[in-house]
Structures are given as structure tokens and as C-alpha cells.
Amino acid sequence: MRLFLEIVRYPSLSAAADALNMTKGALSYQIKVLEEELQTQLLHRQPRGIALTRQGRLLLETCQPLFSALEAGLRDIAQANDQELTVGLSSYFAARWLSPRLMSFMEEFPNVRLRLQPMTQLFDLENQGVDVAIRWGNGQWNDAKVEQFLSMPAWAVGNRDALAKVEALGLDQAIAELTLLRDHDDSDAWSDWIKAAGLPAIQRRDTLIIPDPNVRVQAVKNGQGIALMDALVADEIKHGSLVRLSESELSDYGYFLVEPFADRGSRPVRCFSDWLKGEVPQQRGEQAAC
């Protein structure tokens, strides 16, 4: 039955065989044995793949939650003496916000072995071995469980040359001419900011993709374009190497805790999440015991 649950994740026996590193014949035989044992047909063999019969769907609906609960329980048992925690995050956030606070976590939870995993692509966390991640944006993601813990509006920044261009041409014309730096291809951040600023929508082909926020900061300083940043660049703003180009901001942006849907709900994850939220003054509260 466990193999049945794995097979039906794929569109065909061939695809399942490749993914499970088994032969198509071996999978077909195992399904046949299960069908004979249950005395019912579970799969329709079609020219281009497989499809569940009514009985097959019933078996899937019955077994899937039971196996998920069993696997979760076994993982909890295995983790009873293994308090490891891998946190995915950008080096930008790690250095500018998290690092100065980490000693507090280590002192409070000495049994948790914390591993910070610098990442620029904070997606597909489960396959990257990440227990929980800290992701920047507006939280509108459907690939994981999402919870905001640190509100930090985003605004447009540039160097002094970019500001001079804004003052000379006006914000709308300057934005239309300056290179917009993004963190990934399908980011809507600039479109959202342009709308929030009341500027006409623009179509850009010269957008520069720089996934690493630290590199984006340096690129803005070097005059390679303008970017959306937040209060974590306060030092650069204070010393004038970066300047805000407008008072407009994305007020719903900030940093979010992101956990894979298949999250084990482990105690270290809960401890870290509670501690992290407790480090934000307006969200301080009771923390879990580890």
C-alpha cells in the first residue's frame, strides 16, 4: 500500500519507475498483488498513463492520512534526541538583523544545534533540507505555510545620481529610465510599488535580476540601478550612500516565517519560531520549552 501511494503521485508507471528507481514491471507486479489481495481493481492502465478507479481513490483517501501520521510519529521518535534545526535565509537578513540576536537563542535553547543556510532562492524548501526559512516579500505565496513575524515596508532607493535624476525629470520619468533591480524573474514588487506610488504602469526589458540582497545593495551604490529596500539599509541611508527616492512604500512587505507543507512540526522549529517572534517588541509572548 505504501508503494501504491508513491505510484499514484506520477502520471504513468514509467514515470513512477524512473522516480522510484525500480522497473516498470516490478511496479506493475506489486499493484497486481495488491489488487488480488483486495479483490478489486485499483488502477486503469491507459495508453498514456494510469488513472485511479473509484476503489483506488477510496484506498488513497483512506491510506494517505494514516501513512502521513505514521511517518510523522516515526520522525518525532527519531528526533527525540536530535534537536537539529536548519534555517534558510539570505545572508543580508542574517548579517543585518539575525546575527546580533543569535546569542540570545543559543543561551535560551542550548539543546538545539542551529544551522543557518544562506540561500538566494528560498523556494522548494523541503528538497533543500530546510526546516524553516525567512523570506522577504508580501507573503502571497502558496508553496508553503507562511506567517509574518517582522513588518518592514519596502521603498525605492538609489544613489545620489539616481536622486538627482528624479529631481530633474520627475519621479515617473526617472523610474521609466532607471534600471530596476529585482530579486527574481517573476517578482511583482516593482509593479506593486509603482502602483502604490500612483505612477503609470511601465513595461521594462532592461530589468537586472540580482537574487542576493547584499549584491543588490552594492549594485545600487555603484549606480547600476535602483532597488526596493527596507529599514535594514538604515546605515547606508544615514551615511548617504543610499537615498530614498520617494515616500511611497509597500506597507505589507516584511519578513515571513516559511515552513514546508510537509513540515514535521518539530520542537526546534516551534522554539525558533516563538523565539524569533519574541524578538520583535510588539509580538513578545510566551515561548515554547525545548
Side-chain angles (χ1 to χ4, degrees), residues 87-104:
V87 179
L89 73 174
S90 69
S91 57
Y92 170 84
F93 186 82
R96 292 171 181 255
W97 194 92
L98 185 61
S99 181
R101 297 168 169 82
L102 269 183
M103 187 57 66
S104 165

Side-chain angles (χ1 to χ4, degrees), residues 14-254:
S14 297
D18 290 340
L20 299 173
N21 198 28
M22 297 177 66
T23 66
K24 180 179 176 181
L27 295 185
S28 183
Y29 174 75
Q30 293 295 332
I31 292 297
K32 180 181 178 182
V33 170
L34 181 60
E35 288 177 330
E36 290 177 350
E37 180 70 21
L38 298 177
Q39 297 184 356
T40 187
Q41 184 179 2
L42 300 173
L43 297 178
H44 291 301
R45 278 74 165 177
Q46 300 173 336
R48 296 187 177 181
I50 55 175
L52 287 167
T53 64
R54 184 178 66 83
Q55 294 87 348
R57 286 193 298 272
L58 179 60
L59 181 62
L60 177 64
E61 292 167 1
T62 301
C63 292
Q64 197 166 47
L66 297 176
F67 272 101
S68 296
L70 176 61
E71 289 169 353
L74 292 174
R75 283 192 295 261
D76 284 344
I77 293 171
Q79 289 176 353
N81 297 313
D82 185 9
Q83 299 285 288
E84 291 187 353
L85 177 66
T86 299
V87 179
L89 73 174
S90 69
S91 57
Y92 170 84
F93 186 82
R96 292 171 181 255
W97 194 92
L98 185 61
S99 181
R101 297 168 169 82
L102 269 183
M103 187 57 66
S104 165
F105 178 83
M106 296 170 67
E107 290 175 350
E108 188 166 354
F109 305 111
N111 293 329
V112 176
R113 292 190 296 276
L114 183 64
R115 178 173 181 264
L116 300 184
Q117 178 64 48
M119 301 169 66
T120 56
Q121 297 296 328
L122 291 162
F123 302 93
D124 194 20
L125 303 179
E126 187 177 1
N127 288 332
Q128 298 188 67
V130 173
D131 299 302
V132 62
I134 298 172
R135 189 187 295 178
W136 174 85
N138 60 5
Q140 301 302 306
W141 310 299
N142 56 14
D143 61 325
K145 295 182 288 186
V146 178
E147 179 184 8
Q148 187 177 43
F149 78 92
L150 181 60
S151 176
M152 195 170 286
W155 13 267
V157 300
N159 64 9
R160 292 196 174 277
D161 291 339
L163 179 62
K165 193 164 192 173
V166 169
E167 293 173 342
L169 301 178
L171 184 62
D172 56 345
Q173 185 61 36
I175 293 295
E177 295 185 9
L178 290 164
T179 298
L180 309 182
L181 308 184
R182 300 181 191 265
D183 59 345
H184 58 274
D185 299 8
D186 56 351
S187 171
D188 294 324
W190 270 115
S191 299
D192 293 342
W193 183 88
I194 288 170
K195 183 178 180 180
L199 303 179
I202 56 176
Q203 297 294 328
R204 301 300 300 262
R205 292 187 178 181
D206 63 340
T207 299
L208 180 58
I209 309 299
I210 304 180
D212 189 322
N214 284 322
V215 179
R216 281 203 306 279
V217 169
Q218 191 59 47
V220 174
K221 291 181 181 179
N222 294 342
Q224 296 175 9
I226 61 176
L228 292 172
M229 291 293 173
D230 53 32
L232 297 187
V233 296
D235 285 345
E236 286 84 352
I237 296 291
K238 178 180 178 180
H239 294 104
S241 58
L242 293 179
V243 291
R244 284 189 66 163
L245 303 179
S246 166
E247 292 301 312
S248 298
E249 64 182 25
L250 295 175
S251 58
D252 58 343
Y253 270 56

